[in-house]
Amino acid sequence: MAPIPGSGLAKGLAVTLRTMTKKTVTEQYPDAQPDLPPRTRGVIGLFEENCTVCMLCARECPDWCIYIDSHKETVPAAAPGGRERSRNVLDRFAIDFSLCMYCGICIEVCPFDALFWSPEFEYAETDIRDLTHERDKLREWMWTVPAPPALDPGAEEPKEIAAARKTAEKLAAAAQAERAPSDDPQGEES
Ligand code: SF4
Ligand code: SF4
């Protein structure tokens, strides 16, 4: 069947009218910051204090874009007659974001919670070589990592918090026991 003359124009005008009345979706970046989801994969932050230089993240990274250098240090024995121990000291931790594919494997495999996603995304550079970011920058990004979501009210208490609470309770009980005799006025008289 032959199309009705002018039906194409009417359809086009209908689309124009429909979109004219809709709210615009254009983001006025950089004047207005985009409203990103909290778990956005922007960059990777490093919490250096947790890193034991186990190298797991560098080994598992499919792009081999994590560079870690370290040296060993000898720690004296904790008690007389004990053995000296050695520990790894971090010298360099860098990620080449021109190679990173944001798979998140490094963050998943880190056994010590030293790597985190940050929603920070404004790290464009004019030279690709400047996209290798060193530990100071990765640490700076750590402060843009959002707080973890609240625990489910029915969830088991995390091991670390339970251990810290028990220690605090023991210390408080010991302090209370120490104070008790001097607080007792009868004890002072006798
Ligand atoms: S997100 Fe993936 S590609 Fe990027 S550094 Fe981590 S493991 Fe490598
Ligand atoms: S996996 Fe974690 S602890 Fe091990 S080297 Fe990487 S960041 Fe450090």
Side-chain angles (χ1 to χ4, degrees):
M1 199 172 79
I4 303 164
S7 65
L9 179 66
K11 265 191 204 166
L13 283 174
V15 171
T16 306
L17 283 173
R18 216 170 37 242
T19 49
M20 268 173 68
T21 53
K22 274 192 186 160
K23 192 173 170 278
T24 173
V25 291
T26 308
E27 301 257 7
Q28 298 303 323
Y29 177 81
D31 296 330
Q33 288 291 316
D35 189 15
L36 298 171
R39 297 288 141 197
T40 299
R41 294 183 177 195
V43 283
I44 296 165
L46 169 71
F47 191 54
E48 223 175 279
E49 287 75 4
N50 282 1
C51 179
T52 61
V53 201
C54 70
M55 305 297 283
L56 211 56
C57 55
R59 278 207 304 267
E60 295 295 323
C61 171
D63 286 349
W64 292 85
C65 63
I66 302 179
Y67 312 120
I68 302 175
D69 290 335
S70 69
H71 68 271
K72 283 206 186 292
E73 233 178 45
T74 307
V75 183
R83 267 208 324 216
E84 284 182 340
R85 286 173 300 126
S86 70
R87 72 182 180 100
N88 295 322
V89 180
L90 190 67
D91 293 325
R92 184 188 184 207
F93 195 113
I95 299 180
D96 184 350
F97 284 95
S98 68
L99 292 176
C100 176
M101 59 178 180
Y102 305 89
C103 63
I105 290 176
C106 52
I107 294 170
E108 290 296 318
V109 298
C110 176
F112 302 103
D113 280 347
L115 297 171
F116 296 85
W117 280 122
S118 150
E120 177 61 45
F121 64 95
E122 292 175 310
Y123 59 100
E125 300 287 349
T126 47
D127 188 333
I128 197 167
R129 287 167 297 187
D130 294 338
L131 279 170
T132 299
H133 288 294
E134 301 289 334
R135 65 201 268 190
D136 290 344
K137 190 74 195 167
L138 302 182
R139 171 186 275 281
E140 238 175 71
W141 281 331
M142 203 41 229
W143 313 128
T144 61
V145 172
L151 278 183
D152 187 296
E156 203 177 291
E157 190 175 29
K159 282 198 301 286
E160 296 84 353
I161 294 181
R165 186 177 45 73
K166 277 183 198 154
T167 310
E169 281 170 6
K170 262 190 214 163
L171 290 174
Q176 178 75 26
E178 253 177 42
R179 269 201 311 270
S182 55
D183 289 352
D184 180 7
Q186 283 181 349
E188 277 173 13
E189 279 167 22
S190 59

